[in-house]
Amino acid sequence: MDKDFILSATRKIESLCAEKSLEVSEVLKRAKLSARIIEDWKNFKVEPSIPALAQICDELGTELSVLFCDGAPKLTDEQQDLINSWKTLSLEEKEAIFHYITAMVEIQKKR
């Protein structure tokens, strides 16, 4: 993994923890990772694995892509609520909602 990415990812993890008033060590513990793993990554002793990064993101309630996307727009609470609700739906429910939204967009275009 690229060293710049590793440093960026660890900074983002620390920033997300701070935003959520969480201690990095507590997030790592809940993710069942070593309390020193972030320091080991920063010092390039070991490379972060995708599963480890995903576990941390899960504990932070964010998507793994946040660590890979530089300058990605921050979602509003409403947008995040929609995404969280979307994740709970069945495939059939998602398809129905997608068709409904597509129909609504088409109606708007005709106005």
Side-chain angles (χ1 to χ4, degrees):
M1 245 180 228
D2 178 64
K3 288 183 178 184
D4 288 335
F5 167 75
I6 293 171
L7 293 175
S8 173
T10 56
R11 279 193 301 269
K12 286 179 186 177
I13 290 167
E14 292 167 336
S15 176
L16 287 166
C17 287
E19 284 176 27
K20 296 175 185 271
S21 300
L22 297 169
E23 294 292 328
V24 173
S25 59
E26 182 58 31
V27 171
L28 294 173
K29 183 178 179 180
R30 290 192 319 223
K32 296 179 176 54
L33 295 169
S34 163
R36 298 234 355 107
I37 196 74
I38 297 284
E39 292 305 315
D40 288 347
W41 292 344
K42 283 179 170 178
N43 295 319
F44 310 112
K45 290 182 181 178
V46 293
E47 286 191 354
S49 68
I50 297 299
L53 293 171
Q55 286 172 270
I56 293 169
C57 288
D58 285 347
E59 291 302 326
L60 290 169
T62 192
E63 298 294 322
L64 180 61
S65 61
V66 167
L67 301 181
F68 291 91
C69 300
D70 199 28
K74 184 171 170 86
L75 297 178
T76 64
D77 288 343
E78 180 183 38
Q79 291 168 328
Q80 190 62 53
D81 287 345
L82 284 169
I83 290 171
N84 291 338
S85 295
W86 179 265
K87 290 177 182 178
T88 67
L89 301 175
S90 69
L91 180 59
E92 294 83 19
E93 292 166 329
K94 288 177 182 177
E95 287 175 355
I97 290 173
F98 180 76
H99 290 298
Y100 177 77
I101 291 171
T102 302
M104 295 303 296
V105 169
E106 289 303 315
I107 290 170
Q108 276 187 329
K109 286 180 182 177
K110 293 178 182 178
R111 290 184 186 169

